[in-house]
Amino acid sequence: MQILDNPGRSDWPAILRRPEAEAVSLEKSVRKILQQVKQKGDPAARKYSKMFDGVSLRNMEVSRKEINTASSALSIELKNSIATAAKNIRAFHEPQLQTEMVLETMPGITCKRKSIAIDKVGLYIPGGTAPLF
């Protein structure tokens, strides 16, 4: 982690610049990783966690104790910000929970949207240059 203490305004563009990668090459690499995780499951996820983050995980599940420890380390301000973000995310996405929508866009033309739950989802959020929750 890089700590910046009151950088000058002229330094802001460089500080805020996001890393760049060539899209085609990056997509090819990501596809390979996703395919490996799909085929090999947790062992592949562990391999890439070690490779990219330098973290060796025995258990992929975060325990209640780990959650409580992490939570106690957060400031009230950050907890309030996270709660506000969660509230806003819920407010935006809860209307999408309706199971089906049928709309006749013009006489004889019917469009349908149907949401179908998925059994499992894997999520990897790299830290990069922005803290993401």
Side-chain angles (χ1 to χ4, degrees):
M1 171 172 48
Q2 181 182 12
I3 298 175
L4 303 169
D5 186 8
N6 197 22
R9 186 174 291 267
S10 62
D11 296 325
W12 291 3
I15 293 168
L16 298 174
R17 186 175 306 116
R18 303 283 292 179
E20 297 176 14
E22 197 271 310
V24 173
S25 168
L26 182 61
E27 183 175 343
K28 184 178 177 183
S29 297
V30 170
R31 279 189 195 284
K32 179 181 174 189
I33 292 168
L34 293 175
Q35 187 63 34
Q36 288 289 306
V37 172
K38 184 177 182 179
Q39 290 175 349
K40 298 181 180 179
D42 286 352
R46 284 185 182 89
K47 170 188 165 185
Y48 289 112
S49 178
K50 176 71 174 168
M51 182 186 299
F52 293 123
D53 301 323
V55 175
S56 295
L57 300 172
R58 281 182 281 143
N59 186 354
M60 302 288 279
E61 185 176 345
V62 179
S63 71
R64 173 56 48 196
K65 181 180 177 185
E66 290 171 309
I67 292 170
N68 290 339
T69 299
S71 178
S72 68
L74 299 178
S75 69
I76 294 298
E77 293 82 10
L78 182 54
K79 286 181 185 180
N80 289 339
S81 295
I82 293 169
T84 298
K87 178 181 167 226
N88 291 338
I89 291 166
R90 274 190 212 94
F92 180 80
H93 289 288
E94 279 180 347
Q96 298 173 27
L97 290 175
Q98 62 184 358
T99 55
E100 192 172 293
M101 179 185 80
V102 179
L103 175 70
E104 187 173 27
T105 57
M106 59 177 31
I109 306 295
T110 303
C111 298
K112 182 189 287 188
R113 185 192 56 77
K114 183 176 182 180
S115 298
I116 300 171
I118 54 177
D119 292 325
K120 293 181 182 180
V121 63
L123 180 65
Y124 175 72
I125 304 174
T129 59
L132 303 172
F133 299 101

